Structure formats: C-alpha cells, structure tokens
C-alpha cells in the first residue's frame, strides 16, 4: 500500500465561494472597469473580455494584476496555429491565469496554443495559465444552432466532442453552459477546469443568455468557477450582490 504522504488524489480542492466567482468587467473603458472592480472589495477574480480589451488593451490587465486581482482573459482566440500560439504566449506573459481558445480551431492549433502559453508564462517567471476551450456559446438555442450552423449533433453532445478534442490536445479546461457541465465533468474529472457563464442568481434576468443555471446548482453539477456579470455589475450595490452570490454558494 502506498505511503499516505505520496497518495495521489484527483478530488477537487475546496474553494471558498469568492474564489469561485469571476466578475465580468463588461465595461466600455478602463476607468469604468476599474471602478467596478474597486466597488467589490472581496473580489478575487475578474474577466476581461473583447469590449474592454479592445478599448483599454494590455494595460488594463496589468493594472488589475497590480491590484492583486486574478485575470481571466476571455478573447476566445480562433485562428491558424501560429497566430493562436503567438496570442496565447502574449496573454500568458501579461499574467492572465485563464485564457479562452475556440476548440473548433482544431487539435493542431490547440496544442500550439497550450505550448506557447506555457512558454510565455515561464519567460516571465509566472505559473502556467489554464487554457479554456470554448465549446458552444451559451447564447445558442438548440434549434437555431442546428438550423443556422447546419450541425445535426445535439448541442450538449457537440460540446462534449469539442471538450474531448481540446483535452486530447493538452488543453486542461473548458468553458461551457452549466447545462453541459455535468456531462463534461463526468468525462473530465479534476484537475480539468470547467468555467461556466450563463449563471443567474435567484431573481436575476436571463438577458441574452439562454442556457442558464443558479450558482449552487452549477457548482453541484461540477463547475469549477462561475462567470457572473450583470447580476453583480448591474446591481445598485455590486458588493452586496457579490456577497449574495457567495451566500448562495454556502
């Protein structure tokens, strides 16, 4: 029998509720984004997406890190292998700890992106980031997905196929709807990271998200972390809304 000191476990570590919540800083400029982050003192993680990064660039990522916030850079890279590799290397050098790449870019591009991200982080003396393969965006409704993209595979099964493609290429995480998270967690146990947008706390408006779930339900289904935007950022008191989300997680 193995010595207890050297027993390997695949059980997911217990995360504090505040570590599970990633606040989407979906603001049009750096000042607004930084003000939102500052309004939630207990915040640990933030998401920088296309709108903010296009307006503010790498500087906003650096500033957030200087404020001791951990950054999910959600730019959903999807290009030829060399371009994806270069983008992920640069993102890792910035200190982004979670980086999205489209799984449908294919195995060659995914493997190149993973290797380059590790290299970029090492160049800066940083730990390697986690790449998150984007499977199927949560704004897609199943009927429209099939009709407009001519994909006959059901959404949940298609998300599973893309996650498997990414995992085989060495990518160690995925972004998925909370409605796919249980299936993906069964196929990809910890330490594979599953990040779920489409989270709507009790009483929240769905807005343009279609496949949504409450925070505690998503974690119980196997989500590692939850991206929450408007239920917190659109609240009169973002700090109180963040605290309420944490309370839902127990």
């Amino acid at each position: 029998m193995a010595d207890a000191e050297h027993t390997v476990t695949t059980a997911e570590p217990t995360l504090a509720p505040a570590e599970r919540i990633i606040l989407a800083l979906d603001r049009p400029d750096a000042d607004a984004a930084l003000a939102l982050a500052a309004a939630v003192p207990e915040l640990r993680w933030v998401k920088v997406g296309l709108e903010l990064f296009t307006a503010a660039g790498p500087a906003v990522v650096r500033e957030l890190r200087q404020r001791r916030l951990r950054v999910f850079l959600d730019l959903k890279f999807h290009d030829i292998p060399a371009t994806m590799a270069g983008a992920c290397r640069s993102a890792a050098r910035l200190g982004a700890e979670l980086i999205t790449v489209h799984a449908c870019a294919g195995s060659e591009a995914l493997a190149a992106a993973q290797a380059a991200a590790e290299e970029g982080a090492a160049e800066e003396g940083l730990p390697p980031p986690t790449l998150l393969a984007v499977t199927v965006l949560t704004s897609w409704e199943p009927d429209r997905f099939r009709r407009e993209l001519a994909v006959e595979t059901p959404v949940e099964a298609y998300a599973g196929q893309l996650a498997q493609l990414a995992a085989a290429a060495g990518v160690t995480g995925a972004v998925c709807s909370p409605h796919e998270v249980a299936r993906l967690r069964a196929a990809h146990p910890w330490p594979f990271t599953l990040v779920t947008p489409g989270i709507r706390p009790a009483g929240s408006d769905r807005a343009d998200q279609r496949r949504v779930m409450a925070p505690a339900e998503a974690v119980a289904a196997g989500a590692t972390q939850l991206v929450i935007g408007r239920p917190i950022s659109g609240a009169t008191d973002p700090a109180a809304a963040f605290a309420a989300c944490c309370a839902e997680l127990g």
Side-chain angles (χ1 to χ4, degrees):
M1 187 163 134
D3 188 317
E5 279 188 344
H6 300 97
T7 299
V8 176
T9 178
T10 58
E12 181 176 358
T14 301
L15 295 179
E19 285 288 347
R20 290 197 184 272
I21 296 173
I22 303 171
L23 176 59
L25 299 181
D26 295 331
R27 290 292 190 262
D29 57 61
D31 288 344
L34 294 170
L36 173 58
V40 186
E42 300 303 314
L43 189 62
R44 312 278 181 85
W45 281 89
V46 292
K47 179 179 81 72
V48 174
L50 282 167
E51 180 182 15
L52 178 57
F53 194 83
T54 300
V60 74
V61 176
R62 296 189 184 99
E63 178 61 29
L64 289 164
R65 291 192 66 237
Q66 287 179 0
R67 297 185 182 201
R68 299 186 179 280
L69 290 166
R70 304 177 74 178
V71 177
F72 168 21
L73 188 59
D74 185 23
L75 303 183
K76 299 181 177 69
F77 298 128
H78 183 184
D79 215 303
I80 62 173
T83 301
M84 281 183 65
C88 287
R89 180 180 289 105
S90 294
R93 293 186 68 183
L94 274 177
E97 295 184 60
L98 297 171
I99 301 166
T100 45
V101 293
H102 269 286
C104 56
S107 59
E108 183 181 350
L110 292 169
Q114 179 67 41
E118 293 172 6
E119 292 167 3
E123 290 168 4
E124 298 297 320
L126 299 169
T130 297
L131 264 56
L132 300 172
V134 177
T135 54
V136 179
L137 298 175
T138 55
S139 56
W140 279 110
E141 295 173 313
D143 288 343
R144 188 166 61 85
F145 180 80
R146 183 180 66 254
R147 184 176 66 253
E148 294 186 7
L149 298 187
V151 176
E152 294 301 321
T153 304
V155 167
E156 290 188 6
Y158 191 69
Q161 291 175 8
L162 289 176
Q164 181 56 47
L165 175 72
V171 172
T172 58
V175 176
C176 65
S177 156
H179 288 248
E180 284 98 56
V181 74
R183 179 187 297 215
L184 293 187
R185 178 55 75 208
H188 305 282
W190 176 263
F192 196 83
T193 298
L194 291 175
V195 175
T196 59
I199 300 299
R200 289 294 181 265
S204 298
D205 184 0
R206 290 190 175 200
D208 58 359
Q209 301 284 10
R210 294 292 176 262
R211 305 193 316 284
V212 302
M213 189 175 285
E217 290 180 285
V219 170
T224 311
Q225 290 176 284
L226 315 172
V227 177
I228 304 179
R230 282 163 283 194
I232 297 173
S233 62
T236 303
D237 185 343
F242 180 83
C245 290
C246 290
E248 284 195 42
L249 292 173

